[in-house]
Amino acid sequence: MIENKTGVAVPLSALRTESSPVVGEFSSLIEFADFASKSGLSVIQLLPVLDTGAQSSPYSSLSAFALHPMYIRISELSSFQKCYETDTLFKKTYDEFLGHKDDVRFDYDYVVQTKDFLLRKIWASTIFAGGKLITDKQSLFYRFIEENVEWMPFYCVYKYLKHNYLQASWKSWKKEHQNLSKNEILKIWNNEDLQPLILFYAWEQYIAFNQFKQAADYVKKLGITLKGDIPILLNEDSCDVWSSPDVFNQKMKAGSPPDGDNPTGQNWGFPCYDFAAQEKNNFEWWRLRIRLASQFFGAYRLDHIPGFFRLWSIPNGESTAELGHTEPCSPISEAQFTKCGFSKERLRWLSQPHVPTEDFIRLIGNADTTREILGLVCDRIGWEELWLFKPSIKTEADIRKIKLDKYNIDSSIQVEIFNRLAYWWKNRALIEISKNKYIPQWKYYETRAWNTLSQDEKNTLQWIFGENSQKEVQLWQNQAEKIFTALVNESDMVPCGEDLGVVIPCMEYVLDKCGILGLKVIRWCRKWDRPNQPFASLRSYRRLSIVTTSVHDSSTLREWYDEEIKKTGIPACNLRPENFFEKYEIDSFDKWPKKVAFTEKLEPETAQMLFETFAATRGAWFVNPLQDWLYLDSKYYAEDSKSERINVPGSVTNFNWTWRMSVSVEALKADDGLCEKIKNIAAIHDGMQD
């Protein structure tokens, strides 16, 4: 039976301490755990801490296993003082680094590059004597390598090559390095002449693992559960995609289907997994990730839980997600369509876009030129003014390869020609994913072919789609149960999952069956089909839930209160406690917070009332971002609430992922008033009965 816990979520990089004033480090957790313990918090939740190289997003990992060297506390290394005292450039660089301690947000590129320089200096000082590599195969360093031999050699060789190629993607390396077998990678790893260069990356991991383990053990000693975050997807430019291609389906990219906010869907650019292939060794690659995480964490968050049921898979070469499909899927055979009265000609009409000449004549002007241009990518149907895309055109990227320079057409017209061709390429009701096997296009009801069908034909197709959809849900359930069973049984950590957004009928059943905590973001838990969309009762939440006020991709509690609830038409006064419970629950709840006036902008007294209300949730864990907890005292309010966000989805800027605390962890720990407020709120939740 899982017990109630209250906690705090924070990026490790955001922890500003007296010992790590520029960017949070593994050892910063020790100071932060003292603050959490004093505040009665029993969970510390981190964002991913894996190596992301030049990418600031912690969800764009270069490795599924390697920790980020950025989090190493350099001053704790044994050779630090010697380097600082004897190496003028080292001292100058380190002092300049500390000069950034007052920056509002940290400079990711600068931090990563500076720490890399300093670590290389220390490595050279520590490992070399007279220009020769010191080797002691019995040392703790080499034992560490041996204990991590399943992934360490491949990561180190990848990092060595990537450094040589000036951090370029492995897909742009020389052919001889792009598609190396594991044995060929190990041959480079064992090359004695390269050892001083390659082993640097193993040494970094040795230091990082030791510092993180020491901090994690301290957190555990205080009775606090440290919760990690395991991203579901990896960057295409990652060690694992390069060295373990069998784990992935590199012909497809992951994303999400079209919806109201994203009419063409989202193409994330990350490679999909080949879960069917992974099942053959009981998902060993995933189980290794869990085993490594268990060295540090008492709980873990699986990112994007719906993706373990099914990934939205988009063919390479498609710029949007419109021609994607779920994987696994249940394709409909030609025989099934034929049985229901659809001829081959009718199937062709539904599955192959019929491009009208007229649509392009209006754009290009000259009929002969129009037909010549269409002939570059299409075949004309007899003498009709309709065209089918050539069999050689496999994706939108193939269309965009054609050259129009010789036609003396204005560049803006050329762009529109390509856009129109791409429009027609995606204008199909059915997608033939293999020979004579079809699935409905996600927006089939908007296509030209669909809208020419009779109502009887539409009804028949929708019946076929509905029957097939039920088969797919069973496929998704079977896949998720197999994966989760393998992962959950691999460790004693508490499994958690980010199950937001997509509604899969079997998802809650599978999470309950596997004992996985889901996520409830209070502002999004609404009765959306009711007038005024009231909040769902906090006591109606699934017991196996982590309840929170905000997430790293959302606004903070303060920005939501000050700005966003007005846009949704919810007056601030509608956040009064009784609106989060049913009437019978109110009558039996004797821990109501004191009544407060609702102000135009969030103030500490209102924040406290909200927290005391939310703490009465039925969800087992109540874990909120550090920024939201700090709204209990106005002296921690930034001038602009937007500046306290961690990430703004859909944007790529230096702002994202670089938030850091405005005060030190030590200052928070010394704030008895803040700690007492948090402790009292934690007591409400931890004392709640299911």
Side-chain angles (χ1 to χ4, degrees), residues 164 388 687:
N164 283 359
L388 298 176

Side-chain angles (χ1 to χ4, degrees), residues 157-168:
V157 173
Y158 168 82
K159 289 281 283 189
Y160 159 72
L161 290 172
K162 193 168 180 63
H163 179 74
N164 283 359
Y165 283 107
L166 303 178
Q167 304 305 320

